[in-house]
Structures are given as structure tokens and as C-alpha cells.
Amino acid sequence: MKLSARNVLTGTVTAIEVGQVTSHVKIDIGGSIVTAAITNEAVADLSLKIGDRASAIIKASDVIVGL
Amino acid sequence: MKLSARNVLTGTVTAIEVGQVTSHVKIDIGGSIVTAAITNEAVADLSLKIGDRASAIIKASDVIVGL
Amino acid sequence: MKLSARNVLTGTVTAIEVGQVTSHVKIDIGGSIVTAAITNEAVADLSLKIGDRASAIIKASDVIVGL
Amino acid sequence: MKLSARNVLTGTVTAIEVGQVTSHVKIDIGGSIVTAAITNEAVADLSLKIGDRASAIIKASDVIVGL
Amino acid sequence: MKLSARNVLTGTVTAIEVGQVTSHVKIDIGGSIVTAAITNEAVADLSLKIGDRASAIIKASDVIVGL
Amino acid sequence: MKLSARNVLTGTVTAIEVGQVTSHVKIDIGGSIVTAAITNEAVADLSLKIGDRASAIIKASDVIVGL
């Protein structure tokens, strides 16, 4: 599936911290770590695990610029 | 100011496309381009211009994971 | 690509309103119309046009419940 | 109250999964299930329960298009 | 309609800047100005105008904390 | 750091409710309470505590207008 989201950053899953209903997934994108908060249901659906090749997908309207 | 946002990716502004009220800003983060949609008012407030060192700031809850 | 986003609603594109940098895309999901605000760049990248089969993708954390 | 949000999809609450501070609410919108991640405080405030008629409210800028 | 969104800040509309498809609406909340980017379609639907009593509605998951 | 986000509302932290991976932080902004859902990691990083002077930062595109 092609996505309208402008930002698709691909890397390697380095950590998955599982809460009661939410998980925090860390993806190493060429040295920068991107953290995603997703549902535990999604972690299970994707069978997400450390070492997986995965993408962080972000809409342009969700990005703040800091100077 | 320190931010709760988990993702602060720093790079160089490579493009600013100005619409009537919204601008699209592209930041090169170590080779990956991140696009931000921000208000023209913000572009003016920050005096944002090509070549500026700038950060793309993204909340963990705004990141989707794709496998 | 499999997505962590919990909501992937598939239907038919019924309208694309193009602004200077942002477009509004309407997708008919079994009778309900869902409106997406995306970049013109994304409309061009996807070669999006009326009649296309397309999905509205929404993170669970972006959904408000009203009673 | 009338809302600027372009997407107000009305249906029936089919599941409420309660975490420590966050709940996941599922609403059946004419056969499609929409999942919302909201605070437990909101679930209590709305006295939300299975079988309730409820709406999933989503801003157009939070919708990604997939093709 | 009661909303799950934790933040409903009520005030007076002080400015509406209309773009090609997006408008920026400013609401004075007891002295603080809150800016909302909404669709022109929503401005028309709500017949929004300067001086209106209106609320800025924000999900808790869309708020970043800065220290 | 200067931010593109149009809404930076400053006040005093009045409550921090800690879940397993997510915390809810309440900030009193001149009498209005704003709730933010942030990661526990961010609470720790900022050493956030009740009584702190803190800002609620919100993108204009995340604000819904209600009439």
C-alpha cells in the first residue's frame, strides 16, 4: 500500500516496552532513535519483535519545527 | 525549553514551500528528508530559511509503525 | 506494508479539492464520507483521482469519542 | 455543540478495554470497527459502556490516505 | 454531545484567516490566544465569525509538555 | 528552542497520574486545567513534579473548534 504520509523512515526495532494497553517501540533510523506509542494489539498483529526491519510513519501535519 | 516529545531530529532546512496559510518545510536529517506542515505565521516567527539548522519534533503518539 | 494503525477504512474517492499546498480528499466508506487533509505532493505521488479504491488510515490515539 | 471536525462517524460501542490510565474503545460503524484510545477519566466522565450509541470524531488532518 | 477530549477551552473568536482550503481561527481564552487550523468547509458549516463564543477542543495525547 | 507550534500555554503542574508506560499531567493555565498524556520516560527525563512551571504545547492542526 502506498501512503499519503510524507515521512516514512525505515530502520531496525531496538526496544519494545509493553504497558497494560499501550507499547512504546523504538526504531533506530540510521543512528537516530524514533519512539512510537502504539497499541499492544498492534504489536501482536504485526508480531513485532526486536531486530525487525520496520518504518516510522508520520504525517507532515504532526511535525513541529524547532529552531 | 526541554520537551516531553520523544522525537527531536535535528538537521538542515532544504526547502520551504509557501501556500496561502500553510507552508511545507523539508529538513534533511542525516540523509532522510522529513516534511513538516506548519503555519506561514510560524515560518515568519522563526524567520525560517533554507540552510537553517532546525529540528523536527514529533510526539511518540503520532508515529505509526509499518512492517 | 502492514500498519500499527488500528483504523483502516476502505472505500472510493468521491472528491479531491486542491488548495495551494493542501488537498482535501473525500472517501465514501460504505455510505459514510471520510475527509482527509493531505499534501498536494501526496495527491501527485499517489496519482490520486476520483473513483480510486483508497483507504482512510487513522491512529486510535487520534479518535475522540462523543456521546 | 457543533464541531469543526469533518469526520463524525456514529455507531455502537462493542468493547472497552481498560488499562492503567488509557482505555481502548471499539465502535461498530455500520460494520466497520473504529478503535479509539482515550483516557480512563473520559470513560468515567461519559459513563461509557458497551451498547452505547457513540461517535468517533476525527479531524481531517489526522487521516492518512492509502492506495 | 459530551466529548472524551480532556481539554475544552472556551472563549471568543478574535480572528479568522482564510486560505484556499484551510483557515486559521484565533480564540481568546481568558487572555491566552489559541490558534486552530481547520478546513474552510468547517468555517462555513459553523458559520464561524469574529465575536462568536467558541471552544478549542484538544485531545490529551496531542499536548506536549515543555519545561 | 523556538517552536513552530502556535499554542504554548504556560502554567503550573497540579497533578501527575502515572500509568504503566503513560502519564497524565495536569497544568493549571490561569484557572483552566489542561491535561497532557505523555510517556513515563518523558516525565522522568524532565524530572516533572507538582508545582513545576510548565507549558502545554499544541499544534494549531490539533485543535478542533466547537460552537
Side-chain angles (χ1 to χ4, degrees):
Chain A
M1 183 157 51
K2 288 184 66 179
L3 299 173
S4 64
R6 291 301 80 199
N7 303 302
V8 180
L9 305 168
T10 301
T12 304
V13 176
T14 59
I16 303 174
E17 185 191 5
V18 180
Q20 219 169 330
V21 297
T22 308
S23 293
H24 293 167
V25 177
K26 291 187 185 296
I27 304 175
D28 183 328
I29 314 281
S32 302
I33 300 295
V34 172
T35 302
I38 65 176
T39 61
N40 291 355
E41 194 185 281
V43 173
D45 264 20
L46 301 180
S47 306
L48 207 64
K49 57 188 186 307
I50 291 173
D52 277 353
R53 191 95 188 131
S55 298
I57 299 162
I58 304 147
K59 275 203 77 158
S61 54
D62 285 329
V63 182
I64 292 173
V65 176
L67 203 66
Chain B
M1 184 157 49
K2 286 184 66 179
L3 299 173
S4 65
R6 291 299 81 198
N7 303 301
V8 180
L9 306 169
T10 302
T12 304
V13 175
T14 59
I16 302 173
E17 186 190 4
V18 180
Q20 220 169 331
V21 297
T22 308
S23 292
H24 293 165
V25 177
K26 292 186 185 296
I27 304 175
D28 183 329
I29 314 282
S32 303
I33 300 295
V34 171
T35 302
I38 65 177
T39 61
N40 291 354
E41 194 185 280
V43 172
D45 264 21
L46 301 179
S47 307
L48 206 66
K49 56 187 189 304
I50 291 174
D52 277 353
R53 191 96 187 132
S55 299
I57 299 161
I58 304 147
K59 274 203 79 158
S61 55
D62 286 328
V63 181
I64 292 173
V65 176
L67 204 67
Chain C
M1 183 157 51
K2 287 185 67 179
L3 299 173
S4 64
R6 291 302 79 200
N7 303 301
V8 180
L9 305 168
T10 302
T12 303
V13 176
T14 60
I16 302 173
E17 186 190 3
V18 180
Q20 219 170 329
V21 297
T22 308
S23 292
H24 293 166
V25 177
K26 292 186 185 295
I27 304 176
D28 183 329
I29 313 283
S32 302
I33 300 296
V34 172
T35 302
I38 65 176
T39 61
N40 291 354
E41 194 184 281
V43 172
D45 263 21
L46 301 179
S47 306
L48 206 66
K49 57 188 187 304
I50 292 173
D52 277 353
R53 193 95 186 131
S55 298
I57 299 161
I58 304 146
K59 275 204 78 158
S61 55
D62 286 328
V63 181
I64 291 172
V65 176
L67 202 68
Chain D
M1 183 159 49
K2 286 184 67 177
L3 299 173
S4 65
R6 292 300 79 199
N7 303 302
V8 180
L9 306 168
T10 302
T12 304
V13 175
T14 60
I16 302 174
E17 186 190 3
V18 180
Q20 219 169 330
V21 297
T22 308
S23 292
H24 294 166
V25 177
K26 292 186 184 296
I27 304 176
D28 183 328
I29 313 282
S32 302
I33 300 296
V34 171
T35 302
I38 65 175
T39 60
N40 291 355
E41 194 185 280
V43 172
D45 264 20
L46 301 179
S47 307
L48 206 65
K49 57 186 188 305
I50 291 173
D52 277 353
R53 192 97 187 129
S55 298
I57 299 162
I58 304 147
K59 275 204 77 158
S61 54
D62 285 329
V63 181
I64 292 173
V65 176
L67 203 69
Chain E
M1 183 158 50
K2 287 184 66 179
L3 299 173
S4 64
R6 290 301 81 198
N7 303 302
V8 180
L9 306 169
T10 302
T12 304
V13 176
T14 60
I16 303 174
E17 185 190 4
V18 180
Q20 218 169 331
V21 298
T22 308
S23 293
H24 294 167
V25 177
K26 291 185 185 298
I27 304 175
D28 184 328
I29 314 282
S32 302
I33 300 295
V34 172
T35 302
I38 65 176
T39 61
N40 291 354
E41 195 185 281
V43 173
D45 264 22
L46 301 180
S47 306
L48 206 66
K49 56 189 188 306
I50 291 173
D52 276 353
R53 191 96 187 131
S55 299
I57 300 161
I58 303 147
K59 275 202 78 158
S61 54
D62 285 328
V63 181
I64 291 172
V65 177
L67 203 67
Chain F
M1 184 157 49
K2 288 185 65 179
L3 299 173
S4 65
R6 292 300 80 199
N7 303 301
V8 180
L9 306 168
T10 302
T12 303
V13 176
T14 60
I16 302 173
E17 185 191 5
V18 180
Q20 219 170 329
V21 296
T22 307
S23 292
H24 294 165
V25 177
K26 292 186 186 295
I27 304 176
D28 183 328
I29 313 282
S32 302
I33 300 295
V34 171
T35 302
I38 65 176
T39 61
N40 291 354
E41 195 185 279
V43 172
D45 264 21
L46 302 179
S47 307
L48 206 65
K49 56 187 187 305
I50 291 173
D52 277 353
R53 192 96 187 131
S55 299
I57 300 162
I58 304 146
K59 275 203 78 159
S61 54
D62 285 328
V63 181
I64 292 173
V65 177
L67 204 66

